């Protein structure tokens, strides 16, 4: 007996019964983001490794520990994308989008890859829906993006999610904060984990993002980044807060919050859920401003802001919500005798062309077994087709939830089903 082949650990199959939730989330995002003027882009799942080293940061855990990196047959170093912003920025530069339009709004949806320690809501192949806006340096763009996420989560019916915001300053004021932070961390160096002792030298902000409890306690008592903001960064952050308030978007200022990527400047934000189903993976969406990323990758000096939501975590929350996402078939077409099988196949095909969702078991079988399958399918109606129905052109729609059968002409089935669905709705 040959050995069974299993899927790759941390990369999950999405099957009918669950995939409907994913489709619902993606459909809600596409419709809503379109309202905000965002167009969809699709970038390759594989990029030049240098793209992520230069953008995400060589000292981040993502680049240093988590990327799936390999050499192709031309000996080029390639990586599966661990996040969506850097590929989008690369596409923005490569296609000279800045020369075509002053303000660009994009969104994307798809799989990302990181070799992480797995737990609930955190997998090695995970899915994100995200958006990027290029060309606007104003706080209004930051707020529009956060408002879009708020409306997205509301459309999904998700509650008890808190928006945390912070400002990391820019190239003018951040060095001052860095100096204060390094001085503080040096005084606690021996109590920090080994990784944070290394981070202190190259990117001290990474210490604030460490998951080690001792490091978190030390960081919490350290310097406040908001106290080091220069006047323009302070004005920008005040403007963001004022506009969020004007929109009625509740938020919490969290000066200890940073993002795990190097390209962020000024505004950063996270949407944090309190539901126990997520365990410690409570952030369902996050993002911020990255005004220098495009230029650092060889593009124009274009300000930008973006976010990403984790689909895996949103789906976990929706599973817990008790909402129903499976779409019921309209009709199950059953065959009463072998001579009616071809006619039933033709009828099912025609009803599908007329817009109905139709279940039909191509194997045939006894009418009793077909009726069991009809019941299991949760179809709203069952239509049995036999010689009598073929000859007369008349049949009966049996409501599977109970009730009297409905006489119907075979060429009027679609119309009658649609009318009955409207009445029941």
């Amino acid at each position: 007996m040959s050995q069974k082949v299993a899927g790759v650990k941390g990369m999950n199959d999405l099957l009918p019964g669950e995939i409907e939730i994913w489709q619902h989330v993606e459909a809600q995002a596409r419709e809503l983001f379109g309202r905000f003027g965002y167009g969809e882009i699709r970038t390759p799942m594989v990029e030049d490794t240098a793209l992520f080293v230069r953008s995400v940061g060589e000292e981040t855990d993502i680049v240093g520990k988590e990327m799936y990196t390999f050499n192709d047959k031309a000996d080029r170093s390639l990586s599966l994308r661990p996040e969506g912003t850097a590929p989008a920025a690369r596409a923005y530069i490569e296609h000279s989008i800045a020369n075509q339009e002053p303000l660009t709004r994009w969104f994307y949806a798809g799989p990302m890859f990181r070799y992480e320690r797995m737990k609930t809501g955190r997998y090695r192949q995970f899915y994100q829906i995200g958006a990027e806006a290029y060309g606007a340096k104003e706080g209004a763009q930051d707020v529009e993006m956060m408002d879009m996420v708020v409306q997205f989560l509301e459309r999904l019916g998700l509650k008890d999610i808190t928006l945390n915001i912070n400002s990391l300053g820019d190239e003018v004021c951040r060095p001052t904060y860095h100096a204060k932070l390094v001085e503080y961390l040096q005084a606690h160096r021996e109590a920090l984990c080994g990784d944070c002792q290394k981070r202190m030298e190259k990117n001290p902000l990474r210490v604030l993002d460490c998951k080690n409890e001792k490091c978190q306690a030390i960081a919490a008592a350290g310097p406040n980044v908001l106290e080091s903001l220069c006047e323009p960064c302070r004005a920008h952050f005040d403007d963001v807060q004022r506009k969020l308030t004007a929109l009625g978007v509740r938020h919490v200022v969290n000066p200890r919050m940073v993002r795990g990527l190097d390209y962020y400047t000024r505004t950063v934000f996270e949407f944090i859920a309190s539901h126990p189903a997520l365990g410690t993976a409570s952030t369902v969406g996050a993002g911020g401003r990255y005004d220098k990323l495009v230029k650092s990758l060889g593009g124009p000096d274009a300000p930008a802001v973006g976010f990403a939501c984790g689909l895996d975590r949103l789906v976990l929350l929706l599973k817990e919500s008790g909402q129903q996402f499976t779409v019921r078939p309209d009709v199950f077409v059953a065959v009463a005798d072998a001579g009616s099988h071809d006619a039933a196949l033709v009828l099912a095909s025609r009803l599908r062309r007329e817009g109905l969702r139709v279940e039909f078991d191509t194997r045939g079988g006894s009418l009793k077994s077909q009726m069991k399958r009809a019941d299991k399918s949760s179809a709203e109606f069952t239509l049995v087709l036999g010689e009598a129905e073929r000859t007369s052109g008349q049949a009966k729609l049996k409501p599977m939830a109970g009730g009297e059968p409905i006489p119907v002409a075979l060429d009027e089935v679609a119309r009658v089903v649609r009318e009955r669905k409207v009445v029941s709705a």
Side-chain angles (χ1 to χ4, degrees):
M1 182 177 178
S2 60
Q3 185 176 2
K4 183 171 66 174
V5 178
V8 178
K9 188 176 182 180
M11 300 185 181
N12 302 318
D13 298 312
L14 303 175
L15 305 177
E18 179 181 347
I19 195 66
E20 292 84 358
I21 309 177
W22 293 76
Q23 292 167 340
H24 172 75
V25 174
E26 293 168 3
Q28 293 295 321
R30 286 189 170 91
E31 199 280 330
L32 178 66
F33 296 175
R35 289 188 192 179
F36 277 75
Y38 287 70
E40 185 174 4
I41 62 164
R42 300 188 184 187
T43 61
M45 284 187 285
V46 177
E47 298 273 2
D48 190 315
T49 300
L51 172 66
F52 302 113
V53 173
R54 292 172 59 184
S55 60
V56 175
E58 189 170 4
E59 300 305 316
T60 62
D61 286 347
I62 292 174
V63 171
K65 301 177 180 180
E66 297 171 0
M67 283 205 307
Y68 283 89
T69 298
F70 59 94
N71 284 7
D72 70 359
K73 292 184 178 180
D75 204 32
R76 295 170 296 192
S77 180
L78 304 178
S79 294
L80 294 176
R81 62 186 184 195
E83 56 94 42
T85 293
R90 189 267 310 150
Y92 179 80
I93 297 166
E94 188 168 340
H95 298 284
S96 302
I97 303 300
N99 296 332
Q100 302 172 36
E101 53 190 18
L103 179 60
T104 301
R105 294 184 175 102
W106 285 345
F107 79 89
Y108 60 84
M112 311 293 165
F113 303 84
R114 297 181 193 175
Y115 192 84
E116 293 192 279
R117 183 163 44 184
M118 293 179 300
K119 55 183 177 181
T120 302
R122 181 170 290 159
Y123 310 108
R124 290 172 179 169
Q125 177 174 312
F126 58 100
Y127 295 82
Q128 289 185 339
I129 286 179
E132 319 289 341
Y134 304 93
K137 66 181 185 298
E138 291 76 13
Q141 186 59 66
D142 308 27
V143 172
E144 178 194 76
M145 190 156 279
M146 285 183 267
D147 182 39
M148 189 163 74
V149 181
V150 168
Q151 293 194 34
F152 175 47
L153 297 175
E154 288 175 349
R155 286 170 68 101
L156 296 178
L158 298 177
K159 301 177 181 178
D160 298 323
I161 297 177
T162 303
L163 169 60
N164 282 225
I165 64 171
N166 192 21
S167 176
L168 301 181
D170 60 12
E171 71 277 9
V172 174
C173 57
R174 192 180 296 181
T176 300
Y177 173 66
H178 275 200
K180 293 179 181 178
L181 181 60
V182 170
E183 181 181 4
Y184 169 78
L185 293 175
Q186 286 288 4
H188 299 83
R189 183 184 184 90
E190 297 305 315
L192 295 172
C193 69
D195 285 340
C196 282
Q197 291 181 15
K198 297 176 183 176
R199 290 166 180 151
M200 282 175 51
E201 308 300 328
K202 296 186 178 181
N203 193 338
L205 277 180
R206 295 281 65 74
V207 177
L208 304 183
D209 200 40
C210 182
K211 302 302 183 288
N212 181 289
E213 290 185 1
K214 288 185 178 180
C215 296
Q216 288 179 342
I218 293 170
N224 185 330
V225 64
L226 297 178
E227 295 174 355
S228 296
L229 295 181
C230 61
E231 186 54 38
C233 286
R234 166 58 63 187
H236 184 274
F237 192 51
D238 288 345
D239 186 46
V240 166
Q241 294 178 74
R242 185 169 56 252
K243 287 179 167 58
L244 285 172
T245 300
L247 290 178
V249 175
R250 293 188 299 174
H251 56 280
V252 175
V253 176
N254 180 358
R256 307 301 175 190
M257 182 185 68
V258 298
R259 300 295 304 134
L261 311 176
D262 281 358
Y263 48 63
Y264 286 115
T265 57
R266 290 192 172 177
T267 308
V268 290
F269 56 88
E270 291 187 358
F271 288 85
I272 300 174
S274 60
H275 201 290
L278 295 180
T280 58
S282 57
T283 300
V284 297
R289 179 163 285 280
Y290 49 94
D291 289 342
K292 302 303 177 183
L293 175 61
V294 174
K295 186 176 182 180
S296 75
L297 293 175
D301 191 6
V305 60
F307 80 89
C309 285
L311 266 71
D312 303 82
R313 298 178 189 183
L314 294 177
V315 168
L316 279 173
L317 290 177
L318 287 174
K319 284 181 178 178
E320 295 291 324
S321 72
Q323 299 181 55
Q324 296 297 316
F325 299 95
T326 302
V327 180
R328 298 172 62 188
D330 297 310
V331 181
F332 186 102
V333 175
V335 183
D337 53 70
S340 298
H341 192 277
D342 287 355
L345 179 63
V346 171
L347 175 62
S349 177
R350 176 169 61 80
L351 294 178
R352 289 162 180 157
R353 288 179 184 275
E354 293 175 350
L356 298 189
R357 297 177 64 92
V358 180
E359 285 283 334
F360 173 65
D361 194 329
T362 54
R363 301 170 302 172
S366 69
L367 184 57
K368 181 179 179 180
S369 66
Q370 290 180 74
M371 294 305 289
K372 287 183 179 179
R373 291 193 288 271
D375 188 57
K376 187 176 181 180
S377 77
S378 298
E380 294 196 37
F381 300 97
T382 294
L383 185 150
V384 177
L385 188 70
E387 184 177 359
E389 288 77 18
R390 288 190 291 118
T391 302
S392 66
Q394 300 289 320
K396 291 183 179 179
L397 286 169
K398 178 184 178 183
M400 297 304 288
E404 292 297 318
I406 305 162
V408 61
L410 290 177
D411 57 2
E412 292 289 324
V413 171
R415 180 185 62 79
V416 172
V417 168
R418 280 194 290 267
E419 288 177 354
R420 292 283 174 168
K421 288 181 67 176
V422 170
V423 171
S424 62

